[in-house]
Amino acid sequence: MPATDVTRTEADETSVPDGVPVESSDREHAWTVRRAVALLAPALIFLGIRELGLLVLTWMASRNHHSVSDALRSWDGQWFLAIADGGYAGVPDGLVDAYGQRGAETPLAFFPGYPVIVRWFAAIDGPGGIGLVTSALTVTIVSGVVCSYALARLGKHIRGGSRRTGLILVALFAASPMSVVLAMAYSEAVFCALAAWALVGVLEKRWLLAGVCCALAGLVRSTGAALVLVVGLATLLVVIRNPRSWRAWVGGVVAPLGLIGYLAWVGMRTGEWNGWFALQERGWGTGFDGGAATLRFSLDALADARSVLEVTTVGLIVVALILLVIMIVRKVEWPLVVYSAAVLAMDLTSNGLMNSKARLMVPAFTLLIPVALALAKRRVSTFVVALCALAVVSSWFGAYALTSWGYAI
């Protein structure tokens, strides 16, 4: 045999395992890459859209002479960071309510879940480590990623859903109109992560998962009441049919503990049975009026039409109501419909800061399901272009709210 042939044979034997063709090795590598991409897809979609939002925010902040860091921790972010730093008793006196007033119980209006997580994470590397601001923003972003995986899972469970539907739902969530709060020192991202996994637990009949996530969400935001309603109804229906289902019993009992526990604690601290609600009313003028204030705000905003944020907020309210009707008509799974309706009702039937209406609809991410189902039926090029356009517009709107709009969001 010629020397060249021997060399080629030895090289072939060392580069390819015995009995494994070259084509099989390539296919195995391609399969591994596809599996990795599929596994990372929800996170990559969410992080990619949020990165676009931060780039637009950086551009608009420079044009409006604002600091990006200050913008990402503004308004409620200052309260959460102060509570994370010194607890409720250590909040600086300079932080005041919407009327410029401050009492000893004023900080109790903010739920403890998010600042506690921020404090724990900041303490991982000891004093002088990453700091509270970095911790807060990291917790927010990680929570958004955790939520994206739950949304991708929900998209496969809903009637007519698929993997594509789930990924589109992730993109819609990351590009929702006020999704800028999913990159801020705000509690929405943590709540949405817990809420999404609680809903996954309900649809998959994993009652312990649903109950625990619901209980934790009740320590993060008052919107946890919407989750308590859904998990409570779902577990009740199960125990009526099968009283021996101990998981449903436990899930249903655990679900309201976080929300009820914190509200009861605030009541004891303030000496009022409705202490948390009283704090909201005194400090921010927030109470339930059946939607009268929202209706007046909408009519005034449309009649004046001078504020981009306020007019857009009215448009978003109308779109949200239309999407809720579509969910009902399309017979989307009832737990998702009930959750959407409850979050929307809590937002629209309360008075107080009207400028926060759009932000308070972020946890109503299930309203995006009809849009995800519709886009999933279109060609790839069609829904990609639509999602890219939505991401650009929402990025601008969020940046506008933080750098051009002069009031709280």
Side-chain angles (χ1 to χ4, degrees), residues 71-94:
L72 293 177
R73 54 180 174 168
S74 58
W75 306 115
D76 287 4
Q78 299 178 49
W79 285 92
F80 286 125
L81 289 170
I83 295 170
D85 185 28
Y88 286 113
V91 175
D93 294 336

Side-chain angles (χ1 to χ4, degrees), residues 60 82 110 115 127 138 169-170 189 266 287 303 311 341 344 390 405 408:
M60 290 191 66
F110 296 88
T138 302
L169 186 59
V170 172
V266 174
V311 172
L344 204 55
L390 177 62
W405 176 252

Side-chain angles (χ1 to χ4, degrees), residues 67-280:
S67 164
V68 174
S69 177
D70 290 344
L72 293 177
R73 54 180 174 168
S74 58
W75 306 115
D76 287 4
Q78 299 178 49
W79 285 92
F80 286 125
L81 289 170
I83 295 170
D85 185 28
Y88 286 113
V91 175
D93 294 336
L95 289 178
V96 295
D97 60 28
Y99 299 106
Q101 301 174 353
R102 169 65 184 279
E105 292 85 14
T106 302
L108 300 179
F110 296 88
F111 277 63
Y114 177 63
V116 166
I117 297 174
V118 169
R119 181 167 65 247
W120 286 347
F121 186 72
I124 288 178
D125 57 350
I130 63 174
L132 286 174
V133 175
T134 301
S135 173
L137 299 181
T138 302
V139 168
T140 293
I141 292 297
V142 171
S143 296
V145 172
V146 172
C147 182
S148 71
Y149 281 92
L151 294 178
R153 199 148 160 173
L154 280 177
K156 293 188 291 186
H157 283 308
I158 55 179
R159 189 175 294 106
S162 62
R163 173 172 170 77
R164 174 183 290 187
T165 305
L167 294 179
I168 292 175
L169 186 59
V170 172
L172 290 171
F173 172 67
S176 55
M178 279 303 292
S179 57
V180 67
V181 298
L182 301 176
M184 297 178 65
Y186 269 56
S187 62
E188 272 80 1
V190 173
F191 177 83
C192 287
L194 292 168
W197 280 106
L199 293 173
V200 168
V202 170
L203 294 188
E204 294 182 355
K205 295 180 173 52
R206 298 173 62 184
W207 305 118
L208 298 181
L209 172 66
V212 171
C213 287
C214 182
L216 294 175
L219 291 171
V220 178
R221 297 188 64 80
S222 61
T223 322
L227 270 183
V228 172
L229 175 63
V230 172
V231 177
L233 285 175
T235 54
L236 178 62
L237 291 175
V238 172
V239 298
I240 288 176
R241 293 193 300 267
N242 181 16
R244 296 184 178 181
S245 177
W246 67 268
R247 288 183 175 84
W249 276 105
V250 174
V253 170
V254 168
L257 294 183
L259 180 63
I260 293 177
Y262 182 66
L263 294 180
W265 182 75
V266 174
M268 290 187 293
R269 286 285 301 270
T270 59
E272 301 174 273
W273 69 271
N274 62 338
W276 184 84
F277 299 96
L279 287 174
Q280 288 288 323

